[in-house]
Amino acid sequence: MDFITLIDYAGTFAFAISGIRLAAAKNFDVFGAYVVGFVTAVGGGTLRDMMLDITPFWMEQPSYVIITAIALLFVALFRKSVVKLNNTFFIFDAIGIGLFTVVGVERSMAAGFPVWVNIIMGAVTGSVGGILRDIFINEVPLIFRKDIYAVACVLGAVVYYICYWLGLSHIVTQIVAAMTVILTRILSVYFKISLPALKPVED
Amino acid sequence: MDFITLIDYAGTFAFAISGIRLAAAKNFDVFGAYVVGFVTAVGGGTLRDMMLDITPFWMEQPSYVIITAIALLFVALFRKSVVKLNNTFFIFDAIGIGLFTVVGVERSMAAGFPVWVNIIMGAVTGSVGGILRDIFINEVPLIFRKDIYAVACVLGAVVYYICYWLGLSHIVTQIVAAMTVILTRILSVYFKISLPALKPVED
Amino acid sequence: MDFITLIDYAGTFAFAISGIRLAAAKNFDVFGAYVVGFVTAVGGGTLRDMMLDITPFWMEQPSYVIITAIALLFVALFRKSVVKLNNTFFIFDAIGIGLFTVVGVERSMAAGFPVWVNIIMGAVTGSVGGILRDIFINEVPLIFRKDIYAVACVLGAVVYYICYWLGLSHIVTQIVAAMTVILTRILSVYFKISLPALKPVED
């Protein structure tokens, strides 16, 4: 297993945990929690692959199904640790978003789409899972209301192409793009930076 | 029309009724109620077929559109009977879930996917329609909170493969798998068996 | 740019505005508002194309991404005008629905599907964006509760085929069908005509 796969799985694990924790808070049963965790982890990539007209990535090998099961077991067994490890999960989650963005850009590129589509697919991969999770548990998607999240994905995807056009090597391009997402995400939370809200239009 | 098609249509009818009744309770207009009924009936199979990259089954012939229209007419005309027939519909609904699960497994198998994908597609076919219905009417999906439902689909799909590997005939495999779903569903409701909830993780 | 493209873009602009205004009312940040506007504008056509198994239309050239950005800028800059121009936007929106319906019918027809599928795809194109918008902002979709909306799309699609079977020219068929949708929509709002609600079934 190479390094990028390891990080991909770690990101999947962190995304699954975030879904399972929220489902538990809403008293979902264990199977419902599993489903929410799985959709959070693979939902973005699934929508991306359906729009790219290729087979959803998680149907190619069972890793993602298994990782979500481990995440469920983990939450059930180590509930207190899950609380204490909040910050650790936040970091994992940020790493996951970063890597998912890079994976999304590259899968779209491999399918032959233009740059601006690839950037959108990077952002879809990194952020749609969290939106589906929030719709499932019947909340206004958090992503639209707090922090820098989807924008970090867009920024990372743009940086990917800047590196690409500068002729940097593949691995450097991947790392710089993912780090852009991860640092944007972490710094925006740390310094409580958020995008301005549109002022409501009185109707 | 063979027996399995008849049951498939009965299941579709029961699913459509369940969507239409809930939409009526929320004061949807007749067309809105039709749409919710249709999505409840075909939503699971549509998502399955989109992920399998084949044309959604209901686009191949107009039966499902027509059956939903009959269901709408039925609810409008026989409102009191619909109430009295509660238990009858529950049985139909359970039969529908059982058959939809078998159909889902076989369509995925025919598309050449591995066993574990086919099991997931069986569960998607049996349960996603009800999830979409609940999102439409803006409720936390019931499926995640009560009874054994999606788990019954997974169980039936697993039993399908046990029969298959034991070398049982096709029709016996279908019946045993569908009956597993149906009985699991009915017994769990009758004896009020539900999966344990995950205890909320304090945040 | 021909006339029909111009109208298509005007409809996209009006749909995007409607999403962005509702997102602003819920205090979404600017990027969230952009996403809701974009999904409102292209969501129906995207689901249609995914079911028809063709590449979503907005991935073919960047017009729709750009128009949504202009709509966002427009709402941010001219908030008061957006309020005053309420009626103008309603007309644009109605024109958009009419044209989207025609586009939906024709794209489905070009993909070789039967008449009844094409009619459904016309209605999906005209109305699913608004449903997704309402789910995103966590409301029961308005489309199911007020006015004639999706039904206007169905009616227009049926009229499309009546003109087609009568042997009218392509452009006349398009205009008559679109005008059917637009007038049905405007008259139903003006005269407060709505479909009857199904009386709730006591459970």
Side-chain angles (χ1 to χ4, degrees):
Chain A
M1 189 156 65
D2 57 16
F3 182 65
I4 209 157
T5 307
L6 190 72
I7 299 281
D8 182 24
Y9 289 173
T12 301
F13 185 72
F15 273 8
I17 295 273
S18 93
I20 292 165
R21 291 169 81 201
L22 279 170
K26 291 254 174 176
N27 286 309
F28 282 32
D29 67 38
V30 285
F31 188 79
Y34 180 88
V35 171
V36 174
F38 188 67
V39 169
T40 305
V42 309
T46 302
L47 178 61
R48 175 200 65 213
D49 289 347
M50 284 166 70
M51 291 198 291
L52 296 180
D53 209 3
I54 54 184
T55 299
F57 69 103
W58 59 267
M59 291 163 63
E60 287 165 357
Q61 37 98 346
S63 313
Y64 300 94
V65 171
I66 295 166
I67 291 168
T68 307
I70 296 171
L72 182 67
L73 208 69
F74 189 87
V75 173
L77 291 180
F78 305 112
R79 288 194 303 114
K80 288 193 180 168
S81 312
V82 170
V83 178
K84 282 199 202 122
L85 288 173
N86 240 345
N87 291 328
T88 311
F89 282 115
F90 171 72
I91 302 291
F92 266 121
D93 187 69
I95 294 172
I97 299 167
L99 193 98
F100 280 15
T101 301
V102 170
V103 170
V105 168
E106 297 193 338
R107 243 173 112 96
S108 178
M109 200 194 292
F113 285 93
V115 171
W116 62 274
V117 170
N118 304 346
I119 290 173
I120 293 174
M121 291 302 155
V124 164
T125 309
S127 59
V128 166
I131 296 176
L132 291 174
R133 176 195 63 208
D134 294 344
I135 291 176
F136 264 26
I137 61 170
N138 203 22
E139 300 283 343
V140 170
L142 196 68
I143 196 174
F144 292 142
R145 298 214 284 191
K146 270 191 13 184
D147 315 336
I148 302 286
Y149 191 107
V151 169
C153 301
V154 173
L155 200 64
V158 169
V159 166
Y160 184 98
Y161 275 101
I162 292 175
C163 295
Y164 183 80
W165 289 320
L166 288 176
L168 301 188
S169 75
H170 186 211
I171 184 73
V172 171
T173 300
Q174 288 180 318
I175 290 173
V176 173
M179 285 308 296
T180 303
V181 179
I182 296 165
L183 289 179
T184 304
R185 180 84 186 112
I186 290 174
L187 293 177
S188 78
V189 168
Y190 190 79
F191 291 109
K192 298 197 193 324
I193 300 166
S194 59
L195 291 177
L198 270 186
K199 289 222 187 89
V201 179
E202 305 88 86
D203 219 359
Chain B
M1 189 156 64
D2 56 18
F3 183 65
I4 209 157
T5 307
L6 191 72
I7 299 281
D8 183 24
Y9 288 173
T12 301
F13 185 72
F15 272 6
I17 295 273
S18 94
I20 292 165
R21 292 168 81 200
L22 277 172
K26 290 256 176 174
N27 287 309
F28 282 32
D29 67 40
V30 286
F31 188 79
Y34 179 87
V35 171
V36 175
F38 187 66
V39 170
T40 306
V42 310
T46 301
L47 178 60
R48 175 202 64 214
D49 289 348
M50 285 166 70
M51 289 198 293
L52 296 180
D53 209 3
I54 54 184
T55 298
F57 69 102
W58 59 266
M59 290 164 63
E60 287 166 358
Q61 37 99 349
S63 314
Y64 300 94
V65 171
I66 295 166
I67 290 168
T68 307
I70 297 171
L72 182 68
L73 209 69
F74 189 87
V75 173
L77 292 180
F78 305 112
R79 287 194 302 115
K80 287 192 181 168
S81 312
V82 170
V83 179
K84 282 198 203 124
L85 288 173
N86 240 344
N87 291 329
T88 311
F89 282 115
F90 171 71
I91 301 291
F92 266 122
D93 189 69
I95 294 173
I97 298 167
L99 193 97
F100 280 15
T101 301
V102 171
V103 169
V105 169
E106 296 192 339
R107 241 172 113 95
S108 177
M109 201 194 294
F113 285 91
V115 171
W116 63 274
V117 170
N118 304 344
I119 290 172
I120 293 175
M121 291 301 154
V124 164
T125 309
S127 59
V128 165
I131 295 176
L132 291 174
R133 178 194 63 207
D134 294 344
I135 291 175
F136 264 26
I137 60 170
N138 204 20
E139 301 282 344
V140 170
L142 197 66
I143 196 175
F144 292 141
R145 297 214 284 191
K146 270 191 10 183
D147 316 335
I148 301 286
Y149 190 109
V151 168
C153 301
V154 173
L155 200 64
V158 170
V159 166
Y160 184 97
Y161 274 101
I162 292 175
C163 295
Y164 183 80
W165 288 322
L166 289 175
L168 301 188
S169 77
H170 187 211
I171 184 73
V172 170
T173 299
Q174 288 181 318
I175 290 173
V176 173
M179 286 309 296
T180 302
V181 180
I182 296 165
L183 290 179
T184 304
R185 179 87 185 108
I186 291 174
L187 293 177
S188 78
V189 169
Y190 190 78
F191 292 111
K192 298 198 193 324
I193 299 165
S194 59
L195 291 176
L198 270 187
K199 290 222 187 87
V201 178
E202 306 89 86
D203 221 2
Chain C
M1 187 157 64
D2 59 16
F3 184 66
I4 209 157
T5 307
L6 192 71
I7 299 283
D8 182 25
Y9 289 173
T12 301
F13 184 73
F15 273 7
I17 295 274
S18 93
I20 292 165
R21 291 169 81 201
L22 279 171
K26 291 256 175 174
N27 287 309
F28 281 32
D29 67 40
V30 286
F31 188 79
Y34 180 87
V35 171
V36 174
F38 187 66
V39 169
T40 305
V42 310
T46 302
L47 178 60
R48 175 201 66 215
D49 290 347
M50 284 165 71
M51 290 198 292
L52 296 180
D53 208 4
I54 54 186
T55 299
F57 69 102
W58 60 266
M59 290 163 64
E60 288 166 356
Q61 36 98 348
S63 313
Y64 301 93
V65 170
I66 295 166
I67 291 169
T68 306
I70 297 172
L72 182 69
L73 209 67
F74 190 87
V75 173
L77 292 180
F78 305 113
R79 287 195 301 115
K80 288 193 180 168
S81 311
V82 170
V83 178
K84 283 199 200 121
L85 288 173
N86 240 344
N87 291 329
T88 311
F89 281 115
F90 171 71
I91 301 292
F92 265 122
D93 188 68
I95 294 173
I97 299 168
L99 192 96
F100 280 15
T101 301
V102 171
V103 170
V105 169
E106 296 192 339
R107 240 172 115 93
S108 178
M109 200 193 292
F113 285 92
V115 171
W116 64 273
V117 170
N118 304 345
I119 290 173
I120 292 174
M121 290 302 154
V124 164
T125 309
S127 59
V128 166
I131 295 175
L132 291 175
R133 177 195 62 209
D134 294 344
I135 290 175
F136 263 25
I137 61 170
N138 203 21
E139 300 283 344
V140 170
L142 198 66
I143 197 174
F144 293 141
R145 298 215 282 190
K146 269 192 11 183
D147 316 336
I148 302 286
Y149 191 107
V151 169
C153 301
V154 173
L155 200 64
V158 170
V159 166
Y160 184 98
Y161 275 101
I162 293 175
C163 296
Y164 182 80
W165 289 321
L166 289 176
L168 301 188
S169 76
H170 185 210
I171 183 74
V172 171
T173 299
Q174 288 181 318
I175 290 172
V176 173
M179 285 309 296
T180 302
V181 179
I182 296 165
L183 290 179
T184 304
R185 180 85 186 109
I186 290 173
L187 293 177
S188 78
V189 169
Y190 191 78
F191 292 110
K192 297 198 193 324
I193 300 165
S194 60
L195 291 176
L198 270 186
K199 290 224 186 87
V201 178
E202 305 87 85
D203 219 2

